[in-house]
Amino acid sequence: MKARFEIIPYGSEKWKEAVRLREGILRAPFGLKFTSEELEEEKSHIQIAGLIDDKIIATTVLVPEPDAFKMQRVVVAEKLRSSNIGSDMMAFCEDYILRSNRTSVYCHARDSAVNFYLRNSYSPEGDYFDEDGIPHLKMKKVLR
C-alpha cells in the first residue's frame, strides 16, 4: 500500500485529523492530551501528512531551526506499521529539508522507535533522557 505525502495547513481539517491520530498514538495511552499551548506552537511548524484515499494514516511535524529541522510527533497508524510508510515519510521530510537549505534533521526518539531511526540511517547522540515521563534518545541524520 502506497501513501502520498503532503504539507498540510495549520488549523485545517486535515491538520485536526492529524492531531487526532498523533494524540491517539502518542498521548492517549498515557492518559494525556496535547495542550492548547503545544498545539498553538505548531503555527510556525511544517505539518506533514501521509494519506491513503484521502485518509490521514501518518503524520509528523518539522520544526525549523537555523541549521537543521527538528522532527517531532512522528506517527503511522498502527495497522500500517511495517509497511514502509514511516520510511517513505522520512524520505519526503528529508527532501523538504534539503530544499529548505538545511543539511540535517534530528528528533527525540522514544526508546521503542530507536531501531526505526537506526534503519533509516539516523545516529544516536548522547545518552537517554526523560521527556514526558518516557525514555528518549536524540537521533540525528546529516543529509549532505
Side-chain angles (χ1 to χ4, degrees):
M1 191 164 286
K2 198 77 170 154
R4 89 183 143 77
F5 298 93
E6 63 183 55
I7 296 169
I8 57 173
Y10 174 86
S12 67
E13 288 305 312
K14 285 182 179 177
W15 176 80
K16 291 173 186 174
E17 187 179 343
V19 169
R20 285 190 296 273
L21 178 64
R22 288 190 263 136
E23 197 165 62
I25 293 171
L26 298 174
R27 298 292 173 96
F30 301 98
L32 302 172
K33 290 184 169 261
F34 287 113
T35 66
S36 57
E37 293 82 13
E38 286 175 308
L39 295 175
E40 181 75 17
E41 286 176 1
E42 290 191 7
K43 280 185 177 179
S44 62
H45 303 164
I46 311 304
Q47 312 292 323
I48 309 291
L51 299 99
I52 295 177
D53 298 328
D54 289 323
K55 178 173 174 39
I56 294 183
I57 48 81
T59 183
T60 190
V61 177
L62 297 175
V63 181
E65 295 183 354
D67 297 320
F69 273 89
K70 179 181 181 187
M71 184 182 305
Q72 61 185 27
R73 301 177 181 161
V74 178
V75 299
V76 174
E78 192 169 351
K79 65 183 178 189
L80 295 170
R81 292 183 192 151
S82 301
S83 64
N84 219 40
I85 289 171
S87 295
D88 290 346
M89 186 166 61
M90 296 294 103
F92 179 91
C93 292
E94 291 164 10
D95 181 61
Y96 177 86
I97 291 165
L98 286 170
R99 288 185 284 114
S100 299
N101 296 317
R102 309 292 200 306
T103 59
S104 65
V105 59
Y106 73 94
C107 67
H108 295 170
R110 289 181 180 193
D111 187 47
S112 60
V114 167
N115 284 332
F116 166 77
Y117 289 103
L118 289 170
R119 285 191 306 275
N120 283 279
S121 302
Y122 284 67
S123 300
E125 289 192 346
D127 296 320
Y128 278 91
F129 57 93
D130 180 79
E131 189 172 287
D132 298 327
I134 304 164
H136 284 73
L137 185 62
K138 183 177 180 181
M139 305 286 292
K140 182 177 179 180
K141 184 173 184 178
V142 176
L143 303 174
R144 290 188 219 198

